[in-house]
Amino acid sequence: MQVNDNKEFQPLIVAFCCNWCSYAGADLSGTNRLNYPTNVKIIRVPCSCRVNPMFILRAFQKGADGVILCGCHPGDCHYTSGNYFTRRRMTLLFSMLDFLGIERDRTRVEWVSAAEGAKFAATMNEFTEAVKKLGPNRRLEDLRCRKQ
Amino acid sequence: MLRISADKIYELLGAASAAQTVYIPSEREDGEAEFKKYESGMKLTNRLNTLRSAKDFFFPQTEDLVEFKVDGKNIEISDVRKESEDFIIFGVRPCDARSFTILDKVYLVEPVDSFYKNRRDHGTVVTMACSRPAETCFCQTFGIDPTAPEGDCSVWNDGSYYYFKSNTDKGQKFIDSVTSLLEESDTAELDKSIEKTKEVMKKLPLANLSTENFGGDKLNEYFSSDKWAELSESCLGCGTCTFVCPTCQCYDIKDFNTGHGIKRYRCWDSCMYSDFTKMAHGNPRLTQLERFRQRFMHKLVYFPANNNGEFGCVGCGRCLSKCPISMNIVKVMKALEVK
Amino acid sequence: MQRIGVFVCHCGTNIAATVDVKTVAETLGKEPGVVISQDYQYMCSESGQNLVKDAIKEHNLTGIVICSCSPRMHENTFRKAAAAAGLNPYLVEIANIREQCSWIHKEIATATEKAVILGRAAIAKVHLNAPLTAGESPVVKKALVIGGGIAGIQTALDIAEAGFDVDIVEKNPTIGGKMAQIDKTFPTLDCAACILTPKMVEASQNERITIRSFSEVTDVKGFVGNFTVKIKKKARYVDETKCTGCGLCTEKCPMKKVPNEFNMGLDNRSAVYIPFAQAVPKVATIDPNYCMMLKTGKCGVCSKVCSVGAINYKQQDEIIEEKYGAIIVATGFNPISLDKYDEFAYGQSPDVVTSLELERLMNAAGPNGGTLLRPSDKTHPHTIVFVQCVGSRCDDSKGKPYCSKICCMYTAKHAMLIREKYPDTEVYVFYIDVRTPGKNFDEFYRRAVEQYNVHYIKGMVGKVTPKSDGKIDVQASDLLANEQLHINADMVVLAAAIEPDKTARPLATMLTTQMDTNDFFTEAHPKLRPVESATAGIFLSGACQGPKDIPETVAQASAAAAKAIGLLCKNSITCNPCVAHSNELMCNGCSSCEKVCPYGAITYIDKEFRMPDRTTKVRRVASVNPAVCQGCGACTVACPSGAMDLNGFSNSQIMAEVDAICK
Amino acid sequence: MQEAMINKAKQLLADGTVSRVIGWKRGEFAYDITPAVFETAEELEKDFVFDDFTSANVSKYLVKESKKEGKVLVFLKPCDTYSLNQLTKEHRVDRDNIYVVGIPGGPKLDIEKIKAKGITGITSVKNDNFTLKIETLYGEETMPFYEAVLDKCASCKSKKHVTYDELIGEDGDTLESNRFDMVEQLENMTSQERYDFWRSELSKCIRCNACRNVCPACTCENCVFDNPASGIDNKAPADSFEENMFHIIRAFHVAGRCTDCGECSRVCPQHIPLHLLNRKFIKDINSLYGEYQAGADTTSRAPLTDYTADDCEASIVHERGVE
């Protein structure tokens, strides 16, 4: 969480992007100068299926307010089937977080191809707004990590 | 002896809690008892004892030791020790009361554990004599009289009255703080109730369990006993026994990266764990057999060897009811004794 | 202790205009482990690279972070620069502060703050980078082509031409495949046999090509460059080395009532047979299901007449094991079974035939010697109805959802040939759409309509009913005229959908390659890698990958050959070092990782472990073949114990990035 | 039943079919039964017990025992056979080295439920036509049998043995159980209510690892929570996050592998309904990817190592239920 001068809540968003589609899509939105908030910080992974639920929980623990995972569209995975596994894993993980009463809008999976720079920027804008509405992550934070 | 009518006990707790925090054993939804901060309206539990022992007050499961603030290449070390506030634990059972004596022998000898001492200095232990011991109780084995509890102040309940007797200055201070609510009386009724309890104690299934065959001089005999393999074979290696035990005192020190620094904290450890006392080469206790043996050898042999014959167990019976596979110190003692 | 160098690129004003690069360099210079932090106009320029190289040498750096454009742009540039300066190339990390920072943000303060965070994440990661060395794996300079149709033959010829040994495994007694059964080819109308059989002969005569006919692949082990394949050579009861293909046995064989599969069962062959005159190898095969000698032990005529003593009734199936560097799948297609299409009366009337059956009926080497006659009464048909899309483009469970692609063209060909040879025959074609993309294809179709007056009717055939007079009533709708039609036909030809050969599915499992829901092999990338499977070293040739006509098949066959040659001409393959690896001490051997691996890179071995208590224990543990693993990381998450990790993107590296970002 | 089991075990020991027997051993009281390995007829005669308290699922011991010399006899209740199948499927046991005798399942009793009634000083517990007669130091108490039944037995999913070499008694069938009722109840709460529910439950966790260590699906050579290299190791619930983290990952790691044997909740000293987390995954898997019962066989692909091209998107979580 960052707080800027006018004290509006600025969520910290961690975005895991697969190298082949979504990271390239993010690059494309840069190339096309499509804005999205600085709140979003991207971590490059080879495939969305590399993202372990541990990483997502870790992000929340250390202060993230929202975590989004982006990968190739189903059927377009560079590794043929990686995102299919991602989809099942994340569906179940998100469902569990929801079951524990963690706000469901803090997590999301989005398929963004290398050609969808505009979709990437739009998704990030939208997701940041959604998390902003929720306010700071309090239900899945580690108090020890909260900034004084 | 000073006493108060049973219906006024909450008045007394209320008065005491005005001056300092008072913790009482109280029931939660699932029927188990735990020590909770006393607030008006709370009730004392009818359960014999709390699920977790009272050691948490002096030796909590986790405790920060020191903090390192990291800013770039600069590291600043800060002491996180704070002087504890005074508090009262009301209703500690005689077994748990004895556990403090055992923990003291570990933490108050040189080098004194300042975290433990700080809490111990500020805590007043008000014990409660037992009147309905359970089948899992075997405190008598370790020379504890559940009708004559230790602690700063001892309390008895005969059903109609609570009787108070101070054993230390802290105990006396507690009685003084509520003295206006107490009345002087004889102990005839109480003595009758104690007699009844003593009768029950004789009938307890574990009444005849003895420490006669245990102690520091049994090291070689028991360490190499062939019973351990059979006793430990179904042990799951979990830490339940350790964590509900009032006398287990081992901890691990760990660092946690908060993102803006490191918190160094200690937390309970269990000799049942595969990574207990793990060193560069691994765990010196290679299999569950050795880990299992360690726990019981510690309580029945090593501890008395180092502490003038005092055993590292108070017979509270928590491990008897909580072990997932019902293996426990009583079964171990009985098995080892058989020649 | 790490000694990390940070290099912040201005990218002219691309970065520097919105990110305060000096501040970024200065702030990151204070991070633990960073010993030098610099900014420069263009890091990717030669002088920029020299700056990096000099710093590596001067400060004895253990890792470098470049804050610049996307790693997809210049990661390789800086890896090479690092390597040139003696630093392992995998100790380089890129913080993307252009595409993912300066180009999308406008405010200098926040963009700079973000650039610092991205830099920190890269530093945190590089702290944990390990030097990686790309492994090498030798290549067996020999290819296996599975399937001996035109696709397989072309691939084999091209590979042999390039100087590599190649084996063709064909499950039938002869190579040639479907093309050998075809009469003429569109759009040129040249005879299929005339262009195919020389290629078959060429294949058989090429000393680099070994044709393993009447054989099947039964097991595939290994990985790219180093496959071990078991091939079952089925017993043909004829010694191939002795048989001269004289055909005397087939003439003398008393058992003549065997449906001739080459002629689609439209006539019969003998129990010992040579599929067709130009078969390669031209060797007889005894069909054990019909041979009296093999069934009852009484006969032996063929053995008696064979002058070279090639007949061997005791021959057994034989398993051959061979090593290959590359495998090309060319298993081809078959028309679907029309059992479920009662409405078209296939199976009810012999005069309702499939298009492939029509090919044989019209072929000079076919059952009628090339004269088109009705199978029922051997009379000349005067009205022929063609039904398109039988089982293609179907959304029900009976057919296939895809377009079989070749039917429009071969139907135009059939219609045209019939009209050419028998101008008195009326030809009707019922179609949904006519699809003719391809060189000279539409012109060809238009000739059929305009020059040959074939009646093309847009509409579906509802019901085909054989009548007692031997005619066939075809009830159909004409969608353009919006009317119902009844055509009194002599013959009906169904353009049956094509589907992958049934042997493809088990083969895909052996090869650990992917298939789509229709059992076509999935290419590694639908546009950019259309002839490779996702499994390294396995290539796709022809219709096994999707419906194709002959020119496309041949094109893909040559393309697959080119890819295979590219692999075979290497002595060894450099492997991507960012692959998964299993910590054997933690591995449970539970097989979860293997199940999610798209490449079959994970196998299990029983390994003996020395336990701390000096006993030994044998445990099943996963073993990743680094030559096959492509580094997706699916296994790392499937692994419950965390034994499986990925080089270059390890659990600890990614978590360090998360930590740095969330600081 | 106990007699029949002892006799069967003695016979199989005597004829050399097996060299060891895994079963349950009598304790000090009426209820404190320990899983044990018996090697002789004498040991069986003396200590083998099978009664209303022999609830422990002993299948996990086979990980170790099936790799020793000689065949091991194990008595498995229907629910335990699912665990064994799952272990077989994951190559964690050597099934050829195990002789399974299927025995009837529960319902078994939960001593904690009896104690929660305030009954103490228990010296014996007898089932008299579904009324429990409980002898105590303070007199006899009674309570209805079904009020003392273990939660896991109260929502039994199957009376069928999915793997065995021999059966004592009749085999049953899978049951229509109400096991997802509580999950559904929670799903219908608001997000805040669910949060409060789980906070009050999980905050009780003392991280004793009993749930993990008893779990037949948790047989990792080295658990991520014990492994400093994993980055998430810990020994204590040092923060509410750690409590959540531990239980989410624990449940996730057994998702699609958990047979719903219910041992985690049975052994939790703090009575945290941990099985609800596992059941949530099971319920989700069943509804999203088709009915799947882990351990029902040894060959089918687990839901998390499988997929179809038209699986639902993760956004389904946002679209259903109560926020």
Side-chain angles (χ1 to χ4, degrees):
Chain A
M1 190 192 59
Q2 322 160 336
V3 176
N4 67 6
D5 292 341
N6 56 20
K7 297 288 177 210
E8 189 202 3
F9 164 61
Q10 288 297 333
L12 172 60
I13 311 273
V14 175
F16 292 98
C17 292
C18 86
N19 182 51
W20 307 97
C21 286
S22 305
Y23 193 88
D27 278 355
L28 184 63
S29 78
T31 310
N32 292 342
R33 309 298 198 274
L34 301 168
N35 297 97
Y36 56 88
T38 52
N39 309 55
V40 178
K41 314 287 192 299
I42 295 171
I43 293 177
R44 182 167 69 128
V45 286
C47 175
S48 61
C49 70
R50 177 66 188 90
V51 178
N52 195 308
M54 270 173 6
F55 304 162
I56 293 172
L57 297 180
R58 175 75 154 227
F60 283 120
Q61 175 181 30
K62 296 295 170 104
D65 301 295
V67 177
I68 183 165
L69 209 157
C70 300
C72 310
H73 285 270
D76 289 348
C77 177
H78 179 79
Y79 305 100
T80 326
S81 54
N83 53 3
Y84 288 131
F85 294 117
T86 308
R87 189 160 63 175
R88 284 204 171 185
R89 289 168 186 162
M90 292 306 139
T91 305
L92 290 183
L93 176 69
F94 294 176
S95 179
M96 178 54 71
L97 292 178
D98 179 50
F99 190 62
L100 292 173
I102 315 301
E103 303 93 331
R104 47 178 76 160
D105 288 337
R106 291 200 189 278
T107 47
R108 189 184 288 191
V109 172
E110 204 70 58
W111 310 124
V112 180
S113 81
E116 295 176 322
K119 181 180 180 186
F120 186 86
T123 301
M124 292 305 151
N125 280 313
E126 203 185 297
F127 186 60
T128 308
E129 273 316 302
V131 175
K132 216 179 248 183
K133 263 191 216 133
L134 289 174
N137 163 33
R138 291 285 175 257
R139 293 186 185 172
L140 198 55
E141 76 169 337
D142 192 319
L143 277 174
R144 295 170 296 180
C145 302
R146 196 190 275 192
K147 283 159 203 81
Q148 272 80 33
Chain B
M1 203 186 268
L2 288 167
R3 73 177 190 186
I4 186 171
S5 152
D7 54 4
K8 286 192 177 156
I9 188 67
Y10 297 106
E11 213 173 299
L12 180 141
L13 291 171
S17 65
Q20 51 186 310
T21 309
V22 177
Y23 297 93
I24 65 160
S26 130
E27 259 163 58
R28 54 185 205 203
E29 268 178 33
D30 61 5
E32 294 279 7
E34 65 182 4
F35 281 103
K36 280 191 205 153
K37 190 176 161 184
Y38 177 73
E39 277 161 9
S40 168
M42 269 168 62
K43 290 275 173 285
L44 284 160
T45 180
N46 290 322
R47 292 295 284 259
L48 175 64
N49 214 343
T50 51
L51 192 160
R52 293 173 73 162
S53 83
K55 81 175 171 189
D56 301 38
F57 288 102
F58 303 121
F59 177 47
Q61 186 164 13
T62 62
E63 182 166 32
D64 287 343
L65 300 179
V66 63
E67 216 172 306
F68 308 91
K69 290 210 165 75
V70 181
D71 181 21
K73 288 170 181 139
N74 296 322
I75 298 176
E76 191 191 312
I77 304 172
S78 54
D79 190 348
V80 295
R81 267 177 295 193
K82 275 196 285 273
E83 193 68 13
S84 169
E85 286 180 359
D86 289 344
F87 64 94
I88 294 166
I89 329 168
F90 181 89
V92 175
R93 288 298 179 187
C95 47
D96 281 9
R98 170 67 64 84
S99 77
F100 301 145
T101 320
I102 292 170
L103 293 177
D104 287 351
K105 286 187 199 296
V106 178
Y107 287 127
L108 295 185
V109 295
E110 284 302 328
V112 171
D113 185 296
S114 57
F115 293 86
Y116 178 85
K117 183 172 189 299
N118 179 16
R119 290 193 162 90
R120 196 78 172 92
D121 287 348
H122 287 277
T124 304
V125 177
V126 180
T127 54
M128 178 76 73
C130 301
S131 52
R132 277 168 70 87
E135 74 279 11
T136 52
C137 290
F138 58 109
C139 60
Q140 308 169 79
T141 304
F142 300 100
I144 298 167
D145 182 352
T147 63
E150 297 161 4
D152 295 312
C153 173
S154 310
V155 181
W156 289 263
N157 174 11
D158 68 357
S160 317
Y161 291 94
Y162 286 88
Y163 297 82
F164 290 78
K165 181 170 106 24
S166 75
N167 305 320
T168 66
D169 290 351
K170 276 199 278 186
Q172 191 54 47
K173 249 175 84 184
F174 165 68
I175 290 183
D176 290 347
S177 74
V178 293
T179 193
S180 59
L181 296 164
L182 302 174
E183 55 176 18
E184 193 65 48
S185 83
D186 64 30
T187 57
E189 284 301 307
L190 175 63
D191 291 344
K192 266 194 248 165
S193 125
I194 289 176
E195 272 317 303
K196 254 171 75 187
T197 308
K198 291 203 163 164
E199 281 308 308
V200 175
M201 280 165 54
K202 284 185 206 150
K203 290 193 285 180
L204 288 176
L206 304 176
N208 296 322
L209 187 68
S210 156
T211 57
E212 202 182 342
N213 288 319
F214 296 92
D217 54 337
K218 300 287 183 179
L219 197 151
N220 290 333
E221 184 187 331
Y222 287 150
F223 187 87
S224 48
S225 166
D226 56 7
K227 300 281 171 50
W228 295 114
E230 191 191 328
L231 287 166
S232 66
E233 73 189 350
S234 49
C235 176
L236 300 172
C238 76
T240 310
C241 51
T242 323
F243 289 180
V244 297
C245 178
T247 66
C248 272
Q249 74 272 144
C250 295
Y251 62 81
D252 193 5
I253 297 179
K254 298 182 88 77
D255 284 355
F256 175 74
N257 181 356
T258 64
H260 33 86
I262 303 290
K263 268 188 202 293
R264 177 161 296 171
Y265 66 101
R266 70 173 169 196
C267 60
W268 294 349
D269 203 345
S270 172
C271 48
M272 292 294 194
Y273 286 170
S274 58
D275 56 353
F276 181 73
T277 64
K278 189 171 178 179
M279 293 173 246
H281 76 287
N283 187 338
R285 298 181 192 92
L286 300 171
T287 67
Q288 204 56 31
L289 184 151
E290 288 91 3
R291 294 166 204 145
F292 183 91
R293 179 176 63 193
Q294 167 65 19
R295 182 160 198 275
F296 299 103
M297 286 295 283
H298 188 204
K299 294 198 182 300
L300 298 170
V301 178
Y302 310 149
F303 202 85
N306 296 328
N307 293 282
N308 303 322
E310 175 107 55
F311 289 93
C313 176
V314 293
C316 72
R318 285 187 178 87
C319 54
L320 274 63
S321 43
K322 287 300 176 187
C323 174
I325 54 122
S326 299
M327 178 45 70
N328 53 54
I329 193 163
V330 171
K331 289 182 181 175
V332 170
M333 286 170 80
K334 290 193 171 179
L336 288 179
E337 276 177 341
V338 178
K339 289 287 174 304
Chain C
M1 185 63 197
Q2 293 277 12
R3 301 175 57 78
I4 294 165
V6 176
F7 304 90
V8 186
C9 181
H10 297 211
C11 196
T13 57
N14 277 309
I15 293 171
T18 30
V19 169
D20 180 350
V21 285
K22 297 261 180 239
T23 304
V24 172
E26 202 181 305
T27 316
L28 294 179
K30 291 178 189 151
E31 285 294 303
V34 176
V35 293
I36 175 174
S37 184
Q38 290 179 302
D39 60 283
Y40 188 72
Q41 208 66 25
Y42 287 104
M43 274 302 166
C44 61
S45 68
E46 199 172 332
S47 49
Q49 290 188 47
N50 285 335
L51 190 89
V52 175
K53 289 181 198 165
D54 292 345
I56 291 171
K57 289 179 196 146
E58 188 186 331
H59 296 277
N60 204 11
L61 299 182
T62 58
I64 57 172
V65 167
I66 317 278
C67 302
S68 63
C69 56
S70 173
R72 297 171 56 83
M73 203 73 130
H74 277 307
E75 189 170 55
N76 259 336
T77 312
F78 293 112
R79 278 186 176 165
K80 276 185 195 151
L87 183 71
N88 183 287
Y90 293 90
L91 298 173
V92 178
E93 284 298 327
I94 310 281
N96 183 343
I97 63 165
R98 191 179 77 174
E99 282 86 345
Q100 295 180 6
C101 190
S102 72
W103 276 356
I104 43 167
H105 306 312
K106 291 187 183 118
E107 247 181 80
I108 292 182
T110 50
T112 305
E113 193 189 331
K114 178 169 166 179
V116 168
I117 292 170
L118 296 178
R120 266 195 205 127
I123 294 168
K125 188 179 180 195
V126 90
H127 263 286
L128 299 166
N129 279 23
L132 300 177
T133 313
E136 292 208 335
S137 153
V139 176
V140 177
K141 295 186 169 289
K142 185 173 182 184
L144 169 67
V145 175
I146 304 172
I150 180 60
I153 293 168
Q154 184 63 47
T155 300
L157 285 171
D158 286 351
I159 292 172
E161 189 73 13
F164 297 103
D165 289 341
V166 50
D167 288 5
I168 300 175
V169 171
E170 167 57 53
K171 68 177 187 301
N172 292 322
T174 173
I175 59 170
K178 289 286 169 303
M179 190 173 169
Q181 292 174 277
I182 295 172
D183 184 28
K184 299 271 189 324
T185 57
F186 61 77
T188 48
L189 294 181
D190 42 0
C191 127
C194 310
I195 54 177
L196 173 68
T197 48
K199 281 206 181 279
M200 290 164 64
V201 172
E202 200 185 330
S204 72
Q205 288 175 348
N206 192 311
E207 56 190 21
R208 291 207 174 273
I209 297 178
T210 307
I211 296 171
R212 300 191 179 281
S213 62
F214 213 51
S215 300
E216 282 169 34
V217 171
T218 58
D219 185 49
V220 180
K221 289 257 158 22
F223 50 91
V224 54
N226 199 1
F227 296 103
T228 305
V229 181
K230 284 196 179 130
I231 300 163
K232 181 167 83 177
K233 195 167 174 292
K234 295 179 279 189
R236 68 197 316 161
Y237 309 102
V238 174
D239 187 334
E240 282 175 65
T241 56
K242 290 183 185 158
C243 177
T244 59
C246 70
L248 192 61
C249 54
T250 67
E251 279 170 36
K252 301 289 182 204
C253 175
M255 181 61 203
K256 292 261 188 297
K257 293 261 188 257
V258 185
N260 183 356
E261 48 281 270
F262 184 73
N263 280 338
M264 303 305 289
L266 294 166
D267 64 356
N268 291 329
R269 61 162 167 83
S270 48
V272 56
Y273 67 108
I274 297 171
F276 57 97
Q278 302 97 324
V280 170
K282 194 163 181 191
V283 176
T285 305
I286 296 179
D287 187 336
N289 295 320
Y290 294 94
C291 171
M292 298 311 291
M293 185 66 186
L294 287 170
K295 282 175 76 176
T296 65
K298 289 180 189 133
C299 182
V301 170
C302 51
S303 175
K304 282 175 206 133
V305 299
C306 182
S307 56
V308 293
I311 306 291
N312 174 6
Y313 300 115
K314 296 225 163 61
Q315 208 175 58
Q316 298 281 322
D317 289 355
E318 201 183 321
I319 301 286
I320 302 162
E321 193 173 287
E322 284 283 340
K323 279 188 169 296
Y324 302 100
I327 297 176
I328 300 93
V329 183
T331 45
F333 72 94
N334 277 308
I336 62 167
S337 152
L338 295 181
D339 296 346
K340 288 178 190 159
Y341 288 88
D342 286 343
E343 65 266 39
F344 296 132
Y346 184 77
Q348 295 167 33
S349 164
D351 298 331
V352 178
V353 299
T354 66
S355 300
L356 193 55
E357 287 163 5
L358 183 71
E359 293 282 356
R360 296 315 302 156
L361 288 174
M362 291 167 67
N363 193 289
N368 303 329
T371 314
L372 180 59
L373 298 172
R374 281 173 22 128
S376 59
D377 53 9
K378 305 280 178 200
T379 59
H380 175 60
H382 293 281
T383 307
I384 301 181
V385 172
F386 285 84
V387 184
Q388 297 298 91
C389 293
V390 177
S392 295
R393 306 170 74 195
C394 261
D395 43 19
D396 58 32
S397 57
K398 278 194 330 193
K400 305 288 176 186
Y402 50 85
C403 166
S404 294
K405 200 170 183 179
I406 55 177
C407 326
C408 286
M409 287 303 291
Y410 69 59
T411 298
K413 172 191 77 178
H414 290 152
M416 202 186 281
L417 288 171
I418 291 168
R419 292 281 299 155
E420 166 86 28
K421 217 168 167 185
Y422 314 103
D424 62 334
T425 303
E426 290 299 321
V427 175
Y428 296 86
V429 178
F430 286 92
Y431 66 96
I432 307 176
D433 302 294
V434 176
R435 299 184 163 181
T436 57
K439 193 174 172 184
N440 294 327
F441 282 15
D442 204 58
E443 296 90 320
F444 183 79
Y445 154 65
R446 283 212 309 273
R447 259 167 63 209
V449 178
E450 292 161 11
Q451 196 176 325
Y452 288 93
N453 293 321
V454 176
H455 307 297
Y456 267 82
I457 302 172
K458 186 176 175 75
M460 282 302 293
V461 171
K463 193 151 179 60
V464 175
T465 320
K467 295 196 295 188
S468 51
D469 63 355
K471 293 271 191 180
I472 302 168
D473 176 54
V474 178
Q475 176 212 334
S477 52
D478 181 338
L479 288 177
L480 296 179
N482 197 18
E483 59 185 24
Q484 288 291 315
L485 300 173
H486 280 275
I487 294 171
N488 203 20
D490 297 310
M491 267 184 89
V492 174
V493 183
L494 305 175
I498 60 172
E499 65 180 2
D501 192 83
K502 294 275 181 256
T503 57
R505 174 58 69 174
L507 184 64
T509 309
M510 280 187 253
L511 296 169
T512 68
T513 48
Q514 310 288 311
M515 281 190 145
D516 64 20
T517 50
N518 299 312
D519 282 6
F520 286 114
F521 283 88
T522 305
E523 57 282 7
H525 189 282
K527 286 112 200 167
L528 302 177
R529 296 170 67 194
V531 300
E532 295 157 80
S533 80
T535 307
I538 312 279
F539 305 94
L540 309 176
S541 171
C544 67
Q545 181 260 350
K548 277 181 195 61
D549 58 28
I550 294 167
E552 273 184 324
T553 296
V554 173
Q556 205 198 5
S558 288
K563 285 286 171 189
I565 292 162
L567 168 62
L568 294 174
C569 66
K570 289 178 188 149
N571 289 323
S572 62
I573 324 161
T574 309
C575 312
N576 166 19
C578 293
V579 292
H581 59 91
S582 160
N583 181 337
E584 290 173 341
L585 292 175
M586 295 200 291
C587 175
N588 306 326
C590 72
S591 285
S592 296
C593 52
E594 173 207 33
K595 300 226 163 60
V596 299
C597 179
Y599 307 102
I602 302 169
T603 51
Y604 294 87
I605 47 171
D606 285 328
K607 194 162 173 173
E608 193 172 276
F609 288 89
R610 202 173 139 84
M611 304 308 286
D613 61 357
R614 299 201 172 81
T615 56
T616 54
K617 190 172 157 188
V618 175
R619 282 200 294 116
R620 180 178 199 265
V621 291
S623 158
V624 181
N625 188 328
V628 183
C629 174
Q630 303 288 309
C632 67
C635 54
T636 62
V637 184
C639 176
S641 69
M644 198 60 93
D645 211 345
L646 186 63
N647 287 339
F649 293 93
S650 68
N651 286 330
S652 57
Q653 284 176 307
I654 297 174
M655 284 203 270
E657 283 183 274
V658 170
D659 288 356
I661 284 173
C662 297
K663 221 163 170 171
Chain D
M1 182 50 61
Q2 181 178 308
E3 264 323 294
M5 288 162 70
I6 293 173
N7 288 338
K8 173 53 64 186
K10 286 201 296 200
Q11 176 216 322
L12 290 168
L13 277 175
D15 68 17
T17 309
V18 300
S19 60
R20 303 177 312 289
V21 180
I22 300 183
W24 300 269
K25 188 174 177 176
R26 191 169 281 114
E28 291 295 318
F29 314 118
Y31 53 82
D32 59 334
I33 282 150
T34 304
V37 180
F38 301 85
E39 290 183 9
T40 62
E42 294 70 48
E43 287 171 13
L44 286 161
E45 294 277 7
K46 186 164 157 276
D47 286 326
F48 186 95
V49 61
F50 184 74
D51 63 17
D52 289 338
F53 288 101
T54 50
S55 54
N57 177 354
V58 294
S59 62
K60 187 173 185 176
Y61 292 109
L62 293 165
V63 174
K64 196 170 63 184
E65 290 297 330
S66 74
K67 286 173 190 146
K68 292 182 180 167
E69 273 296 304
K71 213 163 184 170
V72 57
L73 164 62
V74 66
F75 289 107
L76 296 182
K77 303 187 294 297
C79 47
D80 306 340
T81 60
Y82 286 79
S83 305
L84 175 59
N85 254 0
Q86 187 63 24
L87 286 165
T88 307
K89 184 183 196 166
E90 295 175 5
H91 307 275
R92 300 297 290 154
V93 294
D94 184 354
R95 180 67 180 84
D96 295 341
N97 218 15
I98 302 168
Y99 192 91
V100 178
V101 173
I103 49 166
K108 301 284 178 187
L109 295 178
D110 186 351
I111 189 65
E112 300 272 336
K113 285 195 173 169
I114 298 173
K115 289 184 177 176
K117 291 269 181 196
I119 300 171
T120 186
I122 299 164
T123 52
S124 86
V125 181
K126 295 242 152 49
N127 176 7
D128 180 9
N129 201 19
F130 295 105
T131 298
L132 292 182
K133 295 248 159 78
I134 304 152
E135 300 283 350
T136 83
L137 297 169
Y138 308 101
E140 196 192 83
E141 304 262 4
T142 61
M143 72 182 283
F145 179 88
Y146 282 101
E147 283 182 22
V149 162
L150 275 167
D151 284 342
K152 70 170 187 172
C153 296
S155 55
C156 180
K157 63 178 181 296
S158 177
K159 296 272 181 204
K160 184 178 156 182
H161 295 82
V162 288
T163 178
Y164 59 84
D165 296 293
E166 192 173 333
L167 279 180
I168 297 183
E170 296 261 296
D171 201 12
D173 217 333
T174 53
L175 306 176
E176 283 290 321
S177 86
N178 54 353
R179 61 188 178 131
F180 298 120
D181 287 2
M182 186 59 194
V183 174
E184 206 164 304
Q185 219 172 314
L186 279 160
E187 285 171 343
N188 290 329
M189 290 181 182
T190 65
S191 173
Q192 181 70 49
E193 285 167 344
R194 282 198 297 271
Y195 178 73
D196 294 340
F197 172 85
W198 282 111
R199 216 61 306 285
S200 80
E201 289 297 344
L202 295 181
S203 63
K204 293 191 284 196
C205 176
I206 56 171
R207 192 60 169 274
C208 63
N209 291 317
C211 51
R212 179 192 71 181
N213 291 15
V214 79
C215 175
C218 283
T219 64
C220 282
E221 296 290 324
N222 191 353
C223 175
V224 286
F225 289 108
D226 292 345
N227 175 12
S230 76
I232 61 163
D233 68 309
N234 206 342
K235 279 184 179 163
D239 185 273
S240 65
F241 176 85
E242 298 278 4
E243 294 159 3
N244 287 333
M245 170 84 160
F246 177 75
H247 291 290
I248 295 170
I249 296 292
R250 188 192 64 77
F252 193 85
H253 278 184
V254 300
R257 305 169 52 232
C258 166
T259 64
D260 199 9
C261 77
E263 285 285 88
C264 46
S265 290
R266 180 182 72 83
V267 302
C268 178
Q270 291 279 38
H271 311 302
I272 304 171
L274 295 165
H275 64 282
L276 292 179
L277 298 175
N278 301 328
R279 279 194 190 155
K280 169 63 178 165
F281 276 137
I282 296 171
K283 184 170 178 280
D284 277 349
I285 286 167
N286 283 347
S287 68
L288 300 174
Y289 310 124
E291 291 283 325
Y292 180 84
Q293 173 59 54
D297 61 67
T298 57
T299 50
S300 63
R301 233 176 148 92
L304 275 174
T305 57
D306 199 7
Y307 65 87
T308 67
D310 42 13
D311 281 342
C312 63
E313 295 295 336
S315 57
I316 194 163
V317 175
H318 300 250
E319 288 152 13
R320 59 175 192 191
V322 183
E323 170 59 70

